[in-house]
């Protein structure tokens, strides 16, 4: 029974000691609110062109922490469903998550994950470790396996600043598969339909100890290469002034680069592409 059904009073479940996981609390008491519940019978599969899908997101470690970025396009089959989708979100002060896959489910999963981390900290009195945050997100993805098998997959990319790690290795990157498999990536990684091209670009552009500006330009170059070869990935839209989202996490916490800064870097990168359409060569 809900609080409104009891005249505004909370039910007993809210006062019963239990798990520090908000997702597990919902599973026990209100499973209908979970984004991982199956929307179709087992024999039904979603039509791939009926639901918006987000595409390319990437992350790379740099001198001060870790950078995470994503293009803005969502597609439904051969149609552009949205041009200004936000695929990069803070999970807490020192963690960020980006996603590729079914947009509606991904946004709900991100919101649930944000609440999950806040709920744990309020119940336990301390924040989760970064490893625990990665495992908790892997568990949420595993709960979505039924929907993934029906064609509604969500593939997140998790980054965080870990002050317990050695100096120079505090920016960490985690990737996942649709079954909840967890993999820590070194230096850089990308997910989504344009990820093979983004990873290829980062492979030639990445170097250890990059400044924030250098890392941001490398990310924008990689997203440009992804958009150049993958129609589902959107490049910088100069006319509409829609540019990729670029965020960083350092010892000072999560920061989304201001739009004027992202626009300036995007215009600089596009100007360079006029003379070098295939992008810069690998740095020695």
């Amino acid at each position: 029974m809900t609080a409104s059904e009891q005249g505004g009073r909370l039910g007993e479940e809210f006062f019963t000691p239990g798990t520090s996981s908000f997702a597990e609390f919902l599973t026990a008491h209100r499973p209908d609110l979970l984004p991982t519940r199956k929307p179709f019978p087992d024999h039904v599969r979603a039509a791939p062109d009926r639901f918006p899908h987000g595409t390319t997101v990437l992350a790379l470690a740099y001198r001060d922490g870790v950078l995470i970025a994503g293009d803005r396009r969502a597609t439904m089959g051969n149609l552009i469903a949205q041009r200004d989708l936000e695929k990069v979100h803070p999970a807490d002060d020192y963690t960020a998550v980006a996603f590729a896959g079914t947009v509606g489910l991904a946004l709900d999963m991100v919101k649930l994950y944000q609440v999950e981390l806040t709920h744990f900290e309020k119940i336990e009195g301390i924040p989760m470790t970064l490893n625990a945050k990665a495992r908790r997100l892997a568990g949420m993805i595993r709960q979505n396996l039924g929907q993934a098998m029906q064609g509604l997959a969500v593939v997140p990319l998790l980054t965080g600043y870990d002050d317990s790690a050695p100096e120079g290795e505090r920016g960490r990157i985690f990737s996942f598969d649709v079954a909840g498999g967890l993999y820590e990536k070194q230096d850089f990684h990308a997910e989504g339909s344009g990820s093979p091209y983004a990873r290829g670009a980062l492979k030639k552009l990445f170097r250890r100890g990059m400044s924030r500006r250098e890392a941001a330009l490398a990310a924008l170059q990689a997203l440009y290469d992804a958009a150049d070869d993958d129609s589902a990935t959107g490049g910088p839209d100069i006319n509409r002034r829609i540019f990729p989202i670029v965020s960083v996490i350092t010892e000072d916490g999560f920061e989304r680069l201001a739009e004027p800064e992202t626009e300036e870097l995007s215009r600089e990168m596009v100007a360079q592409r006029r003379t070098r359409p295939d992008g810069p060569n690998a740095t020695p």
Side-chain angles (χ1 to χ4, degrees):
M1 185 178 291
T2 65
S4 60
E5 292 171 334
Q6 300 182 60
R9 296 190 303 274
L10 295 175
E12 291 183 5
E13 63 271 18
F14 290 93
F15 302 98
T16 303
T19 176
S20 58
S21 168
F22 186 72
E24 291 180 9
F25 177 82
L26 284 183
T27 300
H29 300 289
R30 289 296 302 273
D32 56 300
L33 296 179
L34 288 168
T36 52
R37 66 191 184 279
K38 281 191 176 184
F40 311 121
D42 289 338
H43 64 280
V44 176
R45 184 174 175 82
D49 58 347
R50 296 299 180 90
F51 298 91
H53 275 68
T55 49
T56 310
V57 294
L58 59 83
L60 66 151
Y62 74 106
R63 183 177 61 204
D64 300 323
V66 63
L67 178 147
I68 185 167
D71 81 309
R72 307 294 297 276
R73 179 173 292 179
T75 58
M76 288 194 302
N78 64 324
L79 302 178
I80 297 176
Q82 189 173 347
R83 300 179 188 275
D84 60 351
L85 178 66
E86 298 201 6
K87 304 175 188 176
V88 179
H89 302 267
D92 62 14
D93 291 341
Y94 292 94
T95 318
V97 61
F99 66 84
T102 307
V103 172
L105 293 179
L107 289 173
D108 280 351
M109 189 178 292
V110 168
K111 292 174 185 176
L112 179 59
Y113 185 58
Q114 291 168 333
V115 174
E116 180 82 355
L117 299 187
T118 301
H119 182 77
F120 178 92
E121 186 168 351
K122 288 182 180 296
I123 295 297
E124 299 293 338
I126 57 172
M128 284 189 198
T129 65
L130 186 53
N131 287 336
K133 293 175 188 178
R135 290 193 297 269
R136 190 61 61 93
L137 183 55
M140 293 173 63
I141 298 166
R142 194 172 300 113
Q143 291 176 343
N144 193 58
L145 181 59
Q147 295 195 83
M149 295 298 100
Q150 292 179 319
L152 300 175
V154 176
V155 183
L157 182 62
L158 181 71
T159 60
Y161 185 84
D162 186 355
D163 58 9
S164 67
E167 188 75 30
E169 300 177 13
R170 293 180 177 173
R172 299 174 64 190
I173 303 167
F174 300 89
S175 73
F176 308 83
D177 60 35
V178 295
L182 171 62
Y183 314 94
E184 183 165 4
K185 301 295 182 178
Q186 300 298 320
D187 298 333
F188 59 85
H189 190 64
E191 292 287 358
S193 60
S195 60
Y197 314 107
R199 286 198 296 266
L202 290 174
K203 188 176 291 187
K204 70 175 183 178
L205 296 176
F206 177 84
R207 57 182 176 79
R208 293 181 182 273
M210 300 172 80
S211 68
R212 185 174 98 158
R213 190 175 193 279
E214 291 170 332
L217 278 171
L220 292 171
Q221 293 278 9
L223 289 172
Y224 191 100
D225 277 349
D228 199 33
D229 287 299
D230 173 45
S231 61
T233 303
D237 192 333
I238 302 294
N239 293 332
R240 294 184 177 89
R241 297 186 66 187
I242 299 174
F243 303 97
I245 292 176
V246 181
S247 299
V248 297
I249 312 172
T250 67
E251 63 180 353
D252 296 322
F254 175 90
E255 178 189 357
R256 174 170 166 170
L257 271 61
E259 190 165 322
E261 182 178 0
T262 308
E263 179 175 355
E264 176 195 348
L265 293 172
S266 296
R267 289 182 181 275
E268 177 182 333
M269 183 266 299
V270 170
Q272 293 172 358
R273 290 284 180 141
R274 292 195 182 103
T275 56
R276 297 186 64 91
D278 293 330
N281 292 328
T283 54

